[in-house]
Amino acid sequence: MDNVLQLIMKHPQMSLEDIASMMGLTFNEVQDIINEYQQKKIIRGYRPIIDTTMCDHPYVSALIEVKTNPKKDVGFDEIIQVVSHYPEVESVYLMAGEYDLAVFVLAESMMDIANFVSSRLATLDGVMSTSTRFVLKKYKELGIHFQQQTDNREKMSV
Amino acid sequence: MNEYVKRIDKEGIRKFFKMALEYDDVLSLTIGEPDFSTPFHIREVAMHALQQGKTWYAPVEGFSALKVEIASFYKRKYNIDYDPEKEVLVTVGASEALDLAFRSYVNKDDEVLVFQPAFVSYEPLAQLTGAKVIAVETTANDNFIITPQLLSQHLTSKTKAIILSYPNNPTGATMNYQEYEALVPLLENFEGIIISDEIYSELTYDHKHASLAHFKSIKHKVIVINGFSKAYAMTGWRLGYVCAHASLLEPMVRIHQYSLMCASSVSQFAGVEALKNGDENIAMMKQEYLHRQGYVVSKIKSIGLDVIKPRGAFYVFVDIRSTSLSSEEFANQLLEQQHVAIIPGVAFGKGGEGFVRISYSYSLPHLKTALEKIHDFVKSL
């Protein structure tokens, strides 16, 4: 991965001027690089990483492992298309291993997730079984630590 | 008290640190150590050694495996040959190595040239031998490097040792091969020793690290000092080393065996892992420092202050002469008004007057907040 992408991943809120100064590039050069990544759909979007457990009304998240019966010609694509469009679904990954889809969901309560699984996900044509695993606590997401990372160095050293 | 100890500045730079610590919310840009933790694979090797109970003394000169890796590191990285069995000594940090070098070769009233601005320990360590320290000031006009003119002005028949350090703390200056080469003819006629503190060697940004030990005609009088603190973020492990001609090393080993006996064995196991498998860690940290350096230099310039782009280490030496404040006044007022701590250049020798040292060994958000405060301070002058 090139340096500009690495920097954006680490500091998505940094201004183009600052990225330019860090990379030894001009503002326009950085703008061109980022535009190109967006056009090529390498950069798909930006969003803040939120510790939902800290919100006034904490959200619940879960990983649902889904075994499917892939269809001839379309494979997993058809069912993934359907699953991806549910608003409570945050991420969907096709996996190697014991199950096919890892579906991460975010909802207001465990009951909402239970309802989602039993009434909408498990009943889909092609879904053979589901296994729901609730997240108890988040420690790190997309590279961001949720526990306080403190600078423990002695404040003053030469 | 020993008469030489009496002569050493009691507080030195700590006088300023004490002032800074009076503020609870002080934002410090003073730290001279990496903000990264030691890479995990290095810590893992140390943990494994402890679990296995490998907690005994190490050999006086250091474990053979480590000395072999040190010699191979200097060959691989800098193309300088050292015999691991006869020309390498593992020490308790580079600081012990500095002390050994002075104590082995300097007698009372000998002259020691200390090129400044420089790390604060050189002068007191030399003074402990009873030596007469000659502070030689490199200047911003020469990008803080040692020129043949400067060297020839101060090198005399009384000079017993010279000490230099590039990449340099606090200036961020480096010397390349050609710049060192220009000094060699003068040093060929010099009969004392040359102490080359290369602790920041792996943080050289725009050229290959160079050393006076590259030059065969003077290599036999060069004591190369290096360590693991800056390159591998291993400051607390206290692990350093000396590379020098066997005859040059012998008196240093003699003192080391009585004063320290050996460097920590668990640190030495970790050191072997660092040298064997740590290149990627260095590259990652170096890249991060470079990004921060670009950010800090551009912000300092936008404030309207001058700065020579650092070529090594993780410091920016900011020219504050345009403010008409002395470096101490600048640092003190910045601390009082904005609660930001930086180090006045004069703490590193008189030649540092007119400059302040900013360390960029901090996270970007920390640097951003501190630099905004420096901006407000300078605009208020």
Side-chain angles (χ1 to χ4, degrees), chain A residues 78-142:
Chain A
E78 190 177 280
I79 193 151
I80 289 173
Q81 282 280 344
V82 177
V83 172
S84 304
H85 279 93
Y86 290 124
E88 47 275 83
V89 171
E90 287 270 288
S91 323
V92 181
Y93 306 106
L94 178 63
M95 310 295 285
E98 289 179 8
Y99 58 94
D100 304 312
L101 306 185
V103 179
F104 286 87
V105 292
L106 185 69
E108 288 192 12
S109 69
M110 286 171 80
M111 192 52 75
D112 287 344
I113 291 178
N115 286 338
F116 167 72
V117 175
S118 60
S119 62
R120 286 188 281 167
L121 187 63
T123 54
L124 283 177
D125 189 23
V127 170
M128 293 167 65
S129 69
T130 65
S131 175
T132 303
R133 303 177 188 282
F134 287 99
V135 173
L136 299 180
K137 192 172 179 181
K138 285 185 187 176
Y139 286 87
K140 189 179 180 185
E141 193 166 293
L142 295 175

Side-chain angles (χ1 to χ4, degrees), chain A residues 5-110:
Chain A
L5 267 185
Q6 279 182 15
L7 258 185
I8 298 171
M9 279 180 70
K10 216 166 168 189
H11 309 287
Q13 283 190 297
M14 190 143 266
S15 69
L16 295 188
E17 284 96 338
D18 288 345
I19 293 173
S21 68
M22 291 168 80
M23 301 289 305
L25 298 171
T26 64
F27 176 91
N28 288 337
E29 283 170 332
V30 173
Q31 198 167 39
D32 288 347
I33 292 170
I34 291 178
N35 283 344
E36 193 184 330
Y37 284 139
Q38 286 172 342
Q39 278 160 13
K40 287 182 175 172
K41 294 194 186 318
I42 292 171
I43 295 175
R44 294 289 187 143
Y46 302 87
R47 56 175 277 188
I49 295 159
I50 292 167
D51 185 351
T52 49
T53 61
M54 301 294 282
C55 298
D56 287 347
H57 300 289
Y59 277 68
V60 179
S61 49
L63 158 66
I64 307 166
E65 300 167 356
V66 184
K67 285 186 183 170
T68 64
N69 190 7
K71 285 187 179 171
K72 198 179 173 192
D73 298 333
V74 292
F76 295 98
D77 290 352
E78 190 177 280
I79 193 151
I80 289 173
Q81 282 280 344
V82 177
V83 172
S84 304
H85 279 93
Y86 290 124
E88 47 275 83
V89 171
E90 287 270 288
S91 323
V92 181
Y93 306 106
L94 178 63
M95 310 295 285
E98 289 179 8
Y99 58 94
D100 304 312
L101 306 185
V103 179
F104 286 87
V105 292
L106 185 69
E108 288 192 12
S109 69
M110 286 171 80

Side-chain angles (χ1 to χ4, degrees), chain B residues 53-168:
Chain B
K54 292 182 176 175
T55 54
W56 299 287
Y57 290 127
V60 169
E61 296 92 343
F63 284 118
S64 278
L66 181 57
K67 291 190 294 174
V68 166
E69 289 301 330
I70 290 167
S72 125
F73 177 86
Y74 254 78
K75 178 67 182 169
R76 175 165 59 91
K77 294 267 187 174
Y78 313 132
N79 199 25
I80 301 174
D81 288 297
Y82 285 106
D83 177 342
E85 282 311 312
K86 295 180 185 155
E87 298 183 318
V88 178
L89 168 67
V90 178
T91 56
V92 181
S95 298
E96 188 213 344
L98 289 168
D99 188 33
L100 292 178
F102 285 125
R103 284 205 277 162
S104 297
Y105 289 101
V106 179
N107 289 306
K108 185 171 178 287
D109 299 327
D110 283 344
E111 285 188 2
V112 174
L113 301 190
V114 178
F115 288 92
Q116 294 182 342
F119 178 51
V120 295
S121 293
Y122 301 152
E123 196 168 329
L125 286 177
Q127 283 170 334
L128 277 176
T129 63
K132 186 179 171 199
V133 171
I134 312 287
V136 182
E137 307 296 349
T138 60
T139 64
N141 283 343
D142 291 326
N143 293 330
F144 293 110
I145 67 161
I146 304 166
T147 61
Q149 294 75 16
L150 187 68
L151 182 61
S152 65
Q153 279 165 20
H154 295 89
L155 206 57
T156 69
S157 57
K158 291 183 194 160
T159 311
K160 194 62 184 276
I162 69 174
I163 178 156
L164 59 138
S165 177
Y166 292 94
N168 181 271

